[in-house]
Amino acid sequence: MATSLTVLADAALRLTPGMTSSRLLVLAFVRDYFTSYGNSPSYGEIANALRISPTRARQLVKALVTSGQLLRRPGPRGLSLPTLRDEAIRQLRELGWAIDEDREVVIAPCAHSTLPDLPMLDYVPPGLAEVQGGVVAP
């Protein structure tokens, strides 16, 4: 009986108005974990801390990565918090800028999505074609 009351009390603590979403809980946990341990938590640690399944933890992390609130790199502890630089790069890419982070090159988006076909030539150099009666012959 005491354990069921404890579970109910813990559930009530987790569902306060200040905690509006599971994603915010995950984000808060990851930030606290980075502050405490200096590296990324595993999906199992996120799941255990929030009392959710590891599958649900993966879904929530994926949603945070998609929204840009977390970054995911290869490896078992590949989560990281975005820096101001990472956020700026994400915003520029959303606006159509091409960014090569390795060479540190930023290219503005093209104002014209399609380029014109081959330009029309007003002048044909001598020797390439003969003009006969105003008509260009090959």
Side-chain angles (χ1 to χ4, degrees):
M1 181 89 174
T3 55
S4 63
L5 289 175
T6 305
V7 171
L8 290 174
D10 289 342
L13 288 174
R14 287 184 30 214
L15 301 175
T16 62
M19 298 176 189
T20 58
S21 124
S22 299
R23 286 189 295 179
L24 291 176
L25 290 172
V26 170
L27 187 58
F29 176 76
V30 171
R31 285 181 177 163
D32 291 343
Y33 195 94
F34 268 107
T35 301
S36 299
Y37 301 104
N39 63 359
S40 169
S42 67
Y43 289 119
E45 290 168 331
I46 295 170
N48 287 335
L50 301 179
R51 296 191 177 130
I52 57 177
S53 71
T55 302
R56 182 68 179 142
R58 287 180 197 272
Q59 292 170 345
L60 293 168
V61 166
K62 185 177 180 180
L64 289 167
V65 169
T66 302
S67 69
Q69 294 174 320
L70 284 178
L71 299 175
R72 178 83 178 114
R73 292 183 173 82
R77 293 182 180 266
L79 294 178
S80 64
L81 297 170
T83 62
L84 290 176
R85 180 181 185 272
D86 297 325
E87 179 61 20
I89 289 172
R90 185 186 67 78
Q91 288 179 6
L92 286 172
R93 283 187 173 141
E94 284 180 1
L95 293 172
W97 290 68
I99 299 172
D100 184 349
E101 293 182 59
D102 296 332
R103 295 185 345 205
E104 296 182 354
V105 175
V106 179
I107 302 169
C110 182
H112 304 287
S113 60
T114 59
L115 295 175
D117 293 334
L118 295 174
M120 297 296 294
L121 296 177
D122 293 350
Y123 170 75
V124 178
L128 294 179
E130 295 179 15
V131 178
Q132 295 178 346
V135 178
V136 176

